[in-house]
Amino acid sequence: MTTPSSLTTPPDLRPLQAIGRAIEAAGGWIGFDRFMALALYSPGWGYYTNESRKFGLMPAGKGGKDGEPGGGSDFVTAPELSPRFGQALARQVGQALQATGTAEVWEFGAGSGALALQLLQALGAQVERYTIVDLSGSLRARQQAKLAAHAGKVHWVTELPARMRGVVVGNEVLDAMPVQLLARVAGVWHERGVALHDDRLVYADRPTALRPPVEVPGEHDYVTEIHPQGEGFVRTLADKLEAGAVFLLDYGFPEHEYYHPQRSMGTVMCHRGHLSDGDALADVGRKDITAHVNFTGVALAGQEAGLQVLGYTSQGRFLLNCGLLDGMEGGVDSANLAERAMVQKLIAEHEMGELFKVIAFAKGPLWEPMGFSAGDRSHTL
């Protein structure tokens, strides 16, 4: 394949050419996990490394500033919906810092910096150092601007040290980690990868010994994911964390729901302009690619590596346990109604409250986190 220099290649062709080179170097086929890593994290054009606006309440073309009502964006995360999200989570993080005798917060994939700002404002002197682990240079620039008032506490790293102490927070981090696709076709399991055909990216299947962690009943065609990178991430945290706690918030299911026989199309989804689609091979680098989280696999990976599960529950229950609604009993003016509407999105079952889950781990003595004081579902993992 002829590949002109990046200086003369139109931006829309860079992803195809870069992925094409990777496919050729691998003998004509790469796994979906390799494709997903390239699409999201390739320097310069990958979705999380390019300059496109990502976080906000509205799609592009609606006016306003990025990250504010009307700002151009692809999707909204909980901290952008309401500062009450970070304030509630801060109560849990503050309890964890005290219980573990630590004073540092580690945030993975800090996005716009909204959650970091909310945690820093709420926790104050409890946090001596706030470390952000983020591979995106463009997002780091936004974070630095938003967190300028806390410049003395906030630090950025692209890789972890040999040893860590403190409380780890990851909001919508696991869903962006590359997954492997498995496809049962005519009763035979394949790994679904990506190839080139007539200069187009296409799916291509190869027979494999890989299997989902549980048997999927039936002989019908079935597509799903396995999550070695996400589970490896949790093992790495377990290895490096000397003392502290881990709180991971994301959308997903326990294993028995994730690999339900009727969930036959998998969970890979793309997000752009506040719309969703299932075609990961189109508009590469210009939209997010995600997969739901298998929280049973996450829990087992942590336990096997030396972490203890502190709790697992829905985001709605977790936030309510952490006092999300405290102080919302005031008058019902227009501003108050708008705030209530956003808070409702965080906890309603048909919004983020049920689809999103929270899992927590401890390294060191066990203690009782407030976020799981009612409605803990650890027994369902």
Side-chain angles (χ1 to χ4, degrees):
M1 178 183 226
T2 302
T3 55
S5 76
S6 61
L7 294 177
T8 59
T9 301
D12 288 350
L13 294 181
R14 290 172 64 193
L16 178 62
Q17 294 190 346
I19 294 171
R21 287 194 295 268
I23 291 172
E24 287 188 346
W29 182 96
I30 57 173
F32 185 81
D33 53 339
R34 174 65 174 147
F35 163 79
M36 186 171 171
L38 289 168
L40 295 182
Y41 302 110
S42 290
W45 62 264
Y47 180 76
Y48 282 109
T49 65
N50 67 36
E51 298 294 330
S52 69
R53 293 179 172 181
K54 299 166 178 64
F55 304 91
L57 296 178
M58 295 292 287
K62 301 298 183 181
K65 296 180 180 179
D66 184 23
E68 297 178 0
S73 60
D74 289 328
F75 53 84
V76 64
T77 61
E80 278 86 29
L81 282 174
S82 171
R84 285 184 171 272
F85 174 83
Q87 293 161 8
L89 181 56
R91 296 186 183 99
Q92 178 61 93
V93 173
Q95 182 196 21
L97 290 168
Q98 184 175 21
T100 60
T102 60
E104 182 170 6
V105 174
W106 297 77
E107 184 182 356
F108 285 79
S112 68
L115 179 57
L117 182 61
Q118 293 161 14
L119 292 177
L120 284 161
Q121 289 175 335
L123 291 167
Q126 269 193 280
V127 178
E128 296 177 3
R129 183 182 175 96
Y130 196 105
T131 301
I132 292 175
V133 186
D134 207 315
L135 300 178
S136 172
S138 60
L139 288 177
R140 179 184 296 192
R142 287 191 59 192
Q143 295 158 12
Q144 289 172 333
K146 187 179 286 287
L147 302 173
H150 302 275
K153 286 185 178 181
V154 185
H155 305 267
W156 283 263
V157 298
T158 57
E159 59 184 29
L160 295 181
R163 294 289 176 262
M164 302 165 53
R165 295 176 60 87
V167 176
V168 175
V169 174
N171 182 56
E172 295 198 48
V173 170
L174 291 172
D175 68 82
M177 293 190 176
V179 296
Q180 289 177 271
L181 284 185
L182 299 183
R184 185 174 64 191
V185 181
V188 178
W189 282 103
H190 301 75
E191 181 175 4
R192 178 154 292 174
V194 179
L196 272 177
H197 180 70
D198 292 335
D199 289 328
R200 292 177 55 250
L201 297 175
V202 296
Y203 286 117
D205 293 348
R206 289 184 171 185
T208 182
L210 295 172
R211 296 290 185 273
V214 295
E215 183 178 355
V216 180
E219 294 295 324
H220 57 294
D221 289 356
Y222 191 92
V223 177
T224 192
E225 307 88 24
I226 55 176
H227 304 75
Q229 291 201 29
E231 292 165 12
F233 166 72
V234 175
R235 292 189 185 95
T236 297
L237 289 180
D239 178 60
K240 294 181 178 295
L241 193 64
E242 292 183 322
V246 179
F247 294 90
L248 301 173
L249 303 88
D250 225 313
Y251 42 89
F253 315 99
E255 195 169 77
H256 68 279
E257 294 181 33
Y258 198 104
Y259 298 105
H260 192 282
Q262 293 180 358
R263 199 179 302 283
S264 61
M265 300 301 292
T267 72
V268 170
M269 290 296 294
C270 304
H271 305 277
R272 183 184 182 191
H274 290 256
L275 298 174
S276 300
D277 71 81
D279 189 357
L281 303 189
D283 298 322
V284 178
R286 299 170 63 188
K287 58 186 181 181
D288 194 15
I289 305 173
T290 74
H292 286 46
V293 177
N294 170 17
F295 279 100
T296 300
V298 169
L300 290 173
Q303 285 183 323
E304 291 167 358
L307 297 175
Q308 301 182 80
V309 175
L310 284 174
Y312 167 73
T313 192
S314 68
Q315 175 178 287
R317 173 50 58 187
F318 178 85
L319 293 175
L320 291 172
N321 289 341
C322 292
L324 178 75
L325 302 183
D326 290 357
M328 288 195 69
E329 298 81 12
V332 186
D333 55 24
S334 60
N336 187 256
L337 284 173
E339 180 185 25
R340 288 172 181 267
M342 292 303 180
V343 168
Q344 185 70 11
K345 289 179 180 290
L346 295 174
I347 58 177
E349 288 192 4
H350 64 284
E351 296 278 359
M352 299 175 73
E354 178 59 34
L355 178 59
F356 280 70
K357 310 296 194 309
V358 186
I359 191 168
F361 298 97
K363 190 67 171 287
L366 284 175
W367 46 282
E368 297 184 4
M370 65 175 68
F372 308 98
S373 58
D376 182 37
R377 303 182 187 177
S378 298
H379 63 283
T380 68
L381 290 170

